[in-house]
Amino acid sequence: MTELISIEALSATFSTVRCELKDGVGYLILNRPEVHNAFDELMISEMTQAINAFAHERDCALMVLKSAGKHFSAGADLNWMRKQAAMDFEDNLKDARELANLMDTLDRFPKPSIALVGGAAYGGALGLICCCDIALATPAASFCLSEVKLGLIPAVISPYVVRAMGNRASRRYMLTAERFDAVKALELQVVSELAEDLEAAAAPIIALLKANSPQGMAWCKTLLTRLQSGVIDEHTRDYTSERIARIRVSDEGQEGLNAFFDKRAPAWVADKDKTRG
C-alpha cells in the first residue's frame, strides 16, 4: 500500500504527466492534450522522474506509455523552442542533455515497456516510441521527423530511431522530413503492430509479460543493449556464456527451472495469484 501511495503522491505533484499503477502495470500518461502533448523542459523532467519511480516500484511489472487526447505527441513545445532560440550554447547543451537523459532512462528501463500510439507522433515523440520495447499504433497514426524543416537535426533521438528504422530509412525520413503513415511505420519497425483498439491489443501482450521472470526480462534487456553493435567475437562469447551461467544459479533462475520440472507455476506467478485471491 505504501508503494502505491508513493506513485500516486508523485503523480499529484506533476502537471504535464499522470502516473497510475493498476494490476502490476505502471501507466505513464502524457497529459497536455491542449497542445497535442508537445513536451517542454517540465514534461521531460516529470517523465524522467516517473520512469525512475516505476523502475523502483516493486509492484510494477511493466510500464505502458500512452497519451491523453487525440495525439500521442506533436514533439517539442513551441514556447520551449522559443526559449531555446534565445539560449547561449551552454544553456542549450544543458537543455539537450536533459532530453538525452530522458531517452536513456526510458531505453534502459529495467522492465518491459509498451508505447500506445494514436494520432500524430512527430519529432522527439519518435524517440520515445523507439526507446520502448514494444509499440502499438492505430492505423490512423502518422509520423514525422520534421527537424530539418526548422534548420535543426533529430540529434538526441537519432541513436534510437536509427536502431529501429535502420540507417537507410533514417537517411530518407530525416532528410525529407516527410510524413509517413502507420503502415510504413510498421514496415520500418518503428511500431510492431497496428490496432484500432490499442488497449485491447495490448492486453494479451501484457498478460504474457506478467507471466515471465522479472529478472529474466531485465537481464534480456541488458543483454540486447550489449549486443546491439552486432559484433560477435571472443568477448561476446565470454559475456553471453557468463550471463547464462550466472542466471542459472541465481535464485530466480533456480526457481524457474524447478517450477518447470515440478510442473507448477513459478513463485513470481504464484505470488501474484495469491495477491489477487
Side-chain angles (χ1 to χ4, degrees):
M1 180 64 70
T2 301
E3 291 173 346
L4 179 58
I5 292 173
S6 69
I7 292 291
E8 291 178 336
L10 182 65
S11 184
T13 69
F14 293 154
S15 61
T16 66
V17 302
R18 298 200 320 268
C19 300
E20 299 173 1
L21 184 61
K22 299 178 181 177
D23 298 323
V25 181
Y27 292 90
L28 174 52
I29 306 162
L30 309 187
N31 194 33
R32 300 184 75 207
E34 69 281 1
V35 291
H36 309 309
N37 296 305
F39 50 83
D40 58 11
E41 68 272 36
L42 180 58
M43 179 180 266
I44 289 168
S45 174
E46 292 183 350
M47 288 184 68
T48 304
Q49 292 178 65
I51 294 166
N52 281 323
F54 283 130
H56 292 94
E57 171 57 66
R58 185 181 60 187
D59 294 333
C60 176
L62 66 140
M63 184 178 69
V64 172
L65 174 62
K66 61 180 187 175
S67 57
K70 183 179 178 181
H71 297 289
F72 181 74
S73 174
D77 179 85
L78 293 178
N79 289 325
W80 182 43
M81 292 174 67
R82 287 190 183 96
K83 286 192 281 187
Q84 291 169 333
M87 291 178 182
D88 61 18
F89 172 78
E90 292 301 327
D91 285 338
N92 260 293
L93 182 59
K94 180 181 178 182
D95 193 69
R97 283 175 170 162
E98 292 298 321
L99 179 59
N101 181 53
L102 166 62
M103 297 296 165
D104 182 68
T105 302
L106 178 56
D107 189 59
R108 294 178 184 273
F109 184 66
K111 304 169 185 181
S113 57
I114 304 173
L116 303 183
V117 184
Y122 294 167
L126 267 82
L128 297 175
I129 295 165
C130 292
C131 285
C132 287
D133 301 313
I134 300 166
L136 310 181
T138 63
S142 62
F143 305 80
C144 184
L145 292 157
S146 54
E147 286 82 356
V148 294
K149 287 185 176 181
L150 305 176
L152 305 175
I153 57 175
V156 169
I157 66 170
S158 61
Y160 313 102
V161 174
V162 172
R163 182 181 63 191
M165 292 174 57
N167 192 279
R168 188 65 171 170
S170 296
R171 284 179 179 234
R172 171 173 176 168
Y173 291 101
M174 288 183 181
L175 293 174
T176 63
E178 65 189 288
R179 295 183 186 181
F180 54 97
D181 62 18
V183 172
K184 177 58 70 173
L186 181 64
E187 178 187 324
L188 296 173
Q189 300 187 67
V190 171
V191 300
S192 46
E193 187 177 326
L194 303 183
E196 291 286 358
D197 188 334
L198 295 177
E199 301 285 351
I205 299 173
I206 290 172
L208 288 171
L209 293 170
K210 288 171 69 175
N212 293 337
S213 156
Q215 176 184 269
M217 293 189 295
W219 284 32
C220 268
K221 293 192 67 168
T222 303
L223 177 71
L224 292 167
T225 298
R226 178 71 175 263
L227 299 179
Q228 65 188 19
S229 68
V231 174
I232 303 175
D233 56 16
E234 182 180 355
H235 297 295
T236 309
R237 294 191 295 274
D238 287 345
Y239 172 73
T240 54
S241 298
E242 187 274 339
R243 289 287 83 191
I244 185 59
R246 184 78 63 189
I247 204 165
R248 281 174 185 160
V249 301
S250 70
D251 290 344
E252 202 162 291
Q254 289 284 298
E255 169 61 17
L257 289 169
N258 288 325
F260 175 76
F261 293 132
D262 295 341
K263 295 184 168 64
R264 60 175 173 80
W268 56 83
V269 174
D271 289 346
K272 290 171 186 172
D273 290 340
K274 288 178 184 176
T275 301
R276 284 195 293 269

